[in-house]
């Protein structure tokens, strides 16, 4: 994840192994979807009613700051 240092911010409470998992391109395929915040509850209900997996909101889009991605707990 060091090659992303200029684009990716991790809060101090993110552990080293978590940084590796979050930065690994192999873990990104097909795991994330986005929708307007106003539609998120509807989408979560639909996903959770029709899947054996639990879906959750894990982030949000915001105006770009110093970094492109912020990982905060």
């Amino acid at each position: 994840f060091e090659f992303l240092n200029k684009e990716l911010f991790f809060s101090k409470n993110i552990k080293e192994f978590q940084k590796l998992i979050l930065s690994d391109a192999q873990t990104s395929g097909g795991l994330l979807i986005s929708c307007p915040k106003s539609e998120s509850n509807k989408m979560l209900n639909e996903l959770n009613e029709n899947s054996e997996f639990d879906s959750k909101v894990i982030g949000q889009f915001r105006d770009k700051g110093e970094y492109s991605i912020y990982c905060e707990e």
Side-chain angles (χ1 to χ4, degrees), residues 25-54:
Q26 297 177 77
T27 62
S28 64
L31 298 176
L32 300 175
I33 58 174
S34 66
C35 71
K37 189 174 184 176
S38 62
E39 297 291 320
S40 61
N41 285 333
K42 180 180 176 184
M43 180 176 280
L44 282 175
N45 290 335
E46 186 76 23
L47 290 168
N48 288 326
E49 288 174 4
N50 294 290
S51 175
E52 62 185 272
F53 303 103
D54 289 333

